């Protein structure tokens, strides 16, 4: 039932005016007629037909009015279902992938090689620090550090030398690389070579033919970089072979820490 029909029923109920006079007249006429005697089943049978008819009419009108009022008060359900718009889902923004940290391109320092006690080698069992006119001593330069080192050889000769070969061997303890060498004697008097050999960096000075080393004290040194850290020189060594008027002589040994 739509709103239009409900409104018409409501207006008809309000406009209806029952005719009380006619209803009373009909009741009175019914009461004046001859009484019909019969066995009544209930008290309602004793009521005149006109009265029952009037009561029925009134009940119908009252029931209709209540139905109309109920219809008017009751709002019909709406055929349209209203759904509240759902809140838009927040946009999900993927978090940026953190940049990987910059790799350290510097190579890890190699651990310093430590030789066991008493392992300092000598070039030969017959080689010693002093022999004939020769005297020698090897030491680590005082300016050596955790990145760089220098091995020094001090050589003394009591006689001029007509032949001389000096060799320094710097053990490869990790990233040992040549950075130079020097000697106190004239550079033009020697042929100098540097090479890797037998697990060591080898510096060699050879006196050129026809040249002479005067008597006195002379210095030879080899310089090198090495792996970061305190480097052990336990396996470093030197050897000197010389010729003088008194004959040939050889000396050798290792390098002691700087004093």
């Amino acid at each position: 039932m739509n709103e239009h029909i409900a409104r018409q029923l409501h207006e008809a109920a309000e406009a209806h005016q029952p005719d009380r006079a006619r209803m009373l007249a009909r009741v009175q006429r019914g009461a004046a007629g001859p009484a019909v005697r019969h066995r009544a089943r209930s008290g309602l049978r004793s009521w005149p037909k006109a009265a029952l008819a009037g009561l029925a009419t009134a009940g119908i009108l009252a029931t209709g009015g209540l139905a109309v009022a109920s219809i008017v008060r009751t709002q019909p359900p709406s055929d349209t279902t209203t759904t509240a718009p759902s809140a838009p889902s927040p946009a999900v923004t993927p978090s940026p992938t953190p940049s990987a940290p910059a790799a350290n391109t510097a190579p890890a320092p190699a651990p310093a090689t430590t030789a066991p006690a008493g392992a300092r080698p000598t070039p030969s069992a017959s080689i010693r620090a002093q022999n004939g006119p020769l005297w020698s001593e090897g030491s680590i330069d005082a300016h050596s550090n955790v990145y760089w080192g220098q091995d020094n050889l001090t050589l003394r000769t009591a006689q001029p030398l007509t032949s001389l070969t000096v060799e320094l061997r710097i053990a490869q303890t990790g990233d040992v690389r040549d950075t130079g060498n020097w000697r106190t004697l004239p550079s033009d008097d020697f042929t100098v070579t540097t090479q890797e050999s037998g697990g060591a960096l080898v510096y060699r000075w050879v006196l050129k033919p026809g040249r002479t080393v005067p008597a006195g004290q002379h210095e030879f040194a080899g310089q090198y970089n090495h792996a970061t850290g305190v480097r052990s020189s336990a396996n470093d060594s030197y050897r000197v072979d010389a010729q003088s008027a008194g004959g040939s002589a050889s000396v050798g040994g290792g390098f002691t820490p700087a004093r």
Side-chain angles (χ1 to χ4, degrees):
M1 183 179 295
N2 56 29
E3 295 182 359
H4 178 69
I5 296 175
R7 185 166 56 252
Q8 286 182 343
L9 291 176
H10 182 68
E11 292 175 356
E14 290 181 351
H16 175 72
Q17 299 291 334
D19 191 347
R20 293 177 175 274
R22 293 182 62 186
M23 293 174 62
L24 291 175
R26 293 182 63 180
V27 171
Q28 289 175 359
R29 283 196 301 270
V36 179
R37 296 183 181 273
H38 57 84
R39 187 175 179 179
R41 295 183 182 179
S42 64
L44 294 177
R45 293 293 186 177
S46 62
W47 282 51
K49 293 182 179 181
L52 292 176
L55 291 176
T57 303
I60 292 172
L61 292 176
T63 303
L66 291 175
V68 171
S70 175
I71 292 172
V72 171
R73 285 195 301 267
T74 303
Q75 294 296 330
S78 175
D79 294 336
T80 303
T81 302
T82 303
T83 303
S86 59
S89 300
V92 178
T93 302
S95 58
T97 303
S99 301
N104 183 7
T105 57
T113 302
T114 303
R120 182 184 299 274
T122 57
S124 171
S126 62
I127 297 299
R128 55 188 183 273
Q130 187 173 355
N131 183 21
L134 302 179
W135 176 92
S136 63
E137 180 182 47
S139 64
I140 303 299
D141 192 86
H143 296 93
S144 298
N145 53 51
V146 296
Y147 308 104
W148 175 90
Q150 176 176 301
D151 286 14
N152 298 327
L153 169 63
T154 301
L155 177 66
R156 296 175 190 169
T157 177
Q159 297 177 1
L161 303 175
T162 56
S163 173
L164 176 64
T165 298
V166 178
E167 184 178 275
L168 271 61
R169 298 181 65 87
I170 313 302
Q172 182 57 259
T173 55
D175 293 335
V176 173
R177 298 289 182 271
D178 170 40
T179 59
N181 64 84
W182 56 269
R183 88 267 91 220
T184 55
L185 292 167
S187 59
D188 291 341
D189 290 352
F190 290 87
T191 299
V192 184
T193 60
T194 304
Q195 64 180 355
E196 291 272 353
S197 175
L201 178 63
V202 181
Y203 297 91
R204 183 178 288 111
W205 295 264
V206 178
L207 184 67
K208 293 178 179 180
R211 308 295 173 94
T212 301
V213 175
Q217 179 171 306
H218 311 289
E219 302 285 340
F220 295 83
Q223 301 171 329
Y224 50 90
N225 286 334
H226 59 78
T228 304
V230 178
R231 179 184 176 276
S232 172
S233 61
N235 291 325
D236 296 356
S237 62
Y238 69 88
R239 177 185 175 108
V240 178
D241 296 306
Q243 182 74 38
S244 66
S248 63
S250 297
V251 292
F255 293 87
T256 59
R259 295 188 293 269

